[in-house]
Amino acid sequence: MEIWRGPQQVPVGLNSVVTVGNFDGVHLGHQQLLASVVAQARARGCKAVAMTFFPHPHHVHVGPLPLITSLADRLEALEASGLDAVLVVDYNLEFAAQGPREFVSTWLRDLLGARAVLVGQDVRFGVGNSGELSTLRQLGQELGFEVLVQEEVCGLAGKRWSSTWVRQLLAEGDVAGVASVLGRPHRVRGVVVDGAQRGRDLGFPTANLLAAHVGEVPQDGVYAGWLVRPSVLRDGAPERLPAAISVGTNPTFEDVNRTVEAHVLGRADLNLYGEEVVVEMVERIRPMLTFAAIEPLIDQMHDDVARAAAILGVPRPGPIDPADVTARPLAS
């Protein structure tokens, strides 16, 4: 899949079937829309193209909004849909000030060579979201492209697939529910940073990510999941390691910063400091707890590891001797 980071990278003379959206999460509703775009493009002998925005318009018009997926993960999920190309538009106030006609003629017809534009019933575009489906249909007739409408896609109990639904589930810590909406485990991404080194001293070394730097993080608690190393390939795919994952501020130690800490089950030999990793969350094991002493905390951590192994379908690892941990912090 080609990634065009701005209009200057779009090839001249393009003929395409286009869809436009934020696609935060690239959930199952998005995936069905994208599948329709690909099918329409193949039938017409055109390129299947999605236009998406970075930063999210909410950041520009309202304020910070944690994204369900990082831009890298969004592009990876869009590629999995079979698209030929994605145009990433720098969303700013100048771009947002375009009227519906200017946006459609400049970006969809002239730049992307749209022969068809596929959208949902609730499409809005142009300054102040003043353009709607009827506007797009009228412009399509005038400018020479067809407007195709994707019927609303619903999930369990008739509830509409949406990024809002995903955020609600994340706030509840229901990562299994999130996976049912996304069609894959929820993931966060970031660079491994120095931590307080408590985990290694207890026999549970962790890869620490600052929660504020990785995107939308679920409710505090302990989760079973996977640590993925995009830079390390095994049989052509990124290495995936089973993990017990802690999200929160470590109330037993009265910490303040909210972190994501992934303990790779049974591994004392990993040195992940400074490496960008992905943490996938499969199932919530328990809420975050405060312990009066270290011994019950260690007992609970052993139980967390056992439960994570069972959930992930991997062997339960033996205990780790802190003296066997080989990683050294960046600051050392």
Side-chain angles (χ1 to χ4, degrees):
M1 184 185 79
E2 296 182 63
I3 299 173
W4 304 323
R5 296 181 184 271
Q8 69 281 358
Q9 295 187 0
V10 177
V12 177
L14 187 67
N15 291 319
S16 67
V17 175
V18 181
T19 190
V20 181
N22 295 309
F23 301 113
D24 189 22
V26 194
H27 54 65
L28 289 174
H30 292 144
Q31 291 170 41
Q32 293 201 22
L33 172 69
L34 295 166
S36 297
V37 170
V38 172
Q40 287 289 336
R42 299 293 176 266
R44 297 163 187 263
C46 296
K47 295 288 189 182
V49 177
M51 175 190 287
T52 193
F53 309 106
F54 191 82
H56 194 289
H58 191 282
H59 286 255
V60 175
H61 296 295
V62 181
L65 175 72
L67 296 179
I68 297 167
T69 48
S70 67
L71 180 59
D73 288 317
R74 190 194 324 174
L75 292 172
E76 185 176 313
L78 289 171
E79 181 175 20
S81 71
L83 289 170
D84 296 305
V86 172
L87 171 61
V88 181
V89 175
D90 177 17
Y91 192 92
N92 52 46
L93 291 175
E94 181 181 358
F95 178 87
Q98 296 175 102
R101 175 179 289 275
E102 181 183 3
F103 166 71
V104 170
S105 62
T106 301
W107 293 85
L108 302 187
R109 184 193 64 178
D110 296 345
L111 180 66
L112 296 178
R115 295 296 176 263
V117 177
L118 202 153
V119 295
Q121 291 276 359
D122 58 353
V123 63
R124 294 291 185 274
F125 60 97
V127 60
N129 283 333
S130 53
E132 55 186 13
L133 181 57
S134 60
T135 315
L136 186 61
R137 281 178 164 151
Q138 179 180 345
L139 290 170
Q141 291 176 352
E142 295 178 18
L143 299 175
F145 60 83
E146 186 176 359
V147 175
L148 306 171
V149 180
Q150 178 78 23
E151 295 300 321
E152 187 172 86
V153 182
C154 297
L156 299 175
K159 188 167 184 175
R160 179 176 177 270
W161 303 115
S162 71
S163 300
T164 299
W165 186 8
V166 173
R167 289 192 173 90
Q168 291 171 346
L169 292 169
L170 287 172
E172 298 166 2
D174 184 3
V175 294
V178 170
S180 73
V181 180
L182 297 182
R184 63 187 186 282
H186 177 62
R187 48 169 39 188
V188 297
R189 178 186 294 258
V191 174
V192 178
V193 299
D194 291 346
Q197 314 306 315
R198 297 191 193 101
R200 64 186 296 140
D201 293 339
L202 300 175
F204 299 91
T206 60
N208 294 3
L209 312 179
L210 287 178
H213 296 167
V214 297
E216 186 115 6
V217 176
Q219 184 185 63
D220 289 2
V222 176
Y223 298 81
W226 302 90
L227 184 142
V228 183
R229 306 177 70 189
S231 63
V232 179
L233 300 182
R234 304 294 186 202
D235 297 324
E239 182 177 45
R240 293 167 56 84
L241 303 169
I245 304 153
S246 172
V247 176
T249 59
N250 293 317
T252 298
F253 300 100
E254 299 181 348
D255 288 347
V256 175
N257 291 329
R258 191 166 185 247
T259 61
V260 176
E261 301 183 34
H263 166 65
V264 177
L265 305 187
R267 295 291 295 271
D269 60 328
L270 293 171
N271 188 350
L272 302 174
Y273 290 111
E275 183 177 328
E276 183 181 74
V277 300
V278 172
V279 176
E280 294 184 347
M281 302 185 187
V282 173
E283 186 174 319
R284 192 169 193 244
I285 295 174
R286 63 171 173 86
M288 189 60 70
L289 303 172
T290 302
F291 296 88
I294 296 298
E295 290 76 14
L297 170 61
I298 292 175
D299 290 341
Q300 181 63 64
M301 293 170 75
H302 281 297
D303 183 66
D304 294 339
V305 165
R307 292 184 62 188
I311 290 167
L312 300 172
V314 299
R316 177 177 177 172
I320 292 175
D321 184 339
D324 293 335
V325 179
T326 58
R328 291 294 173 262
L330 294 170
S332 63

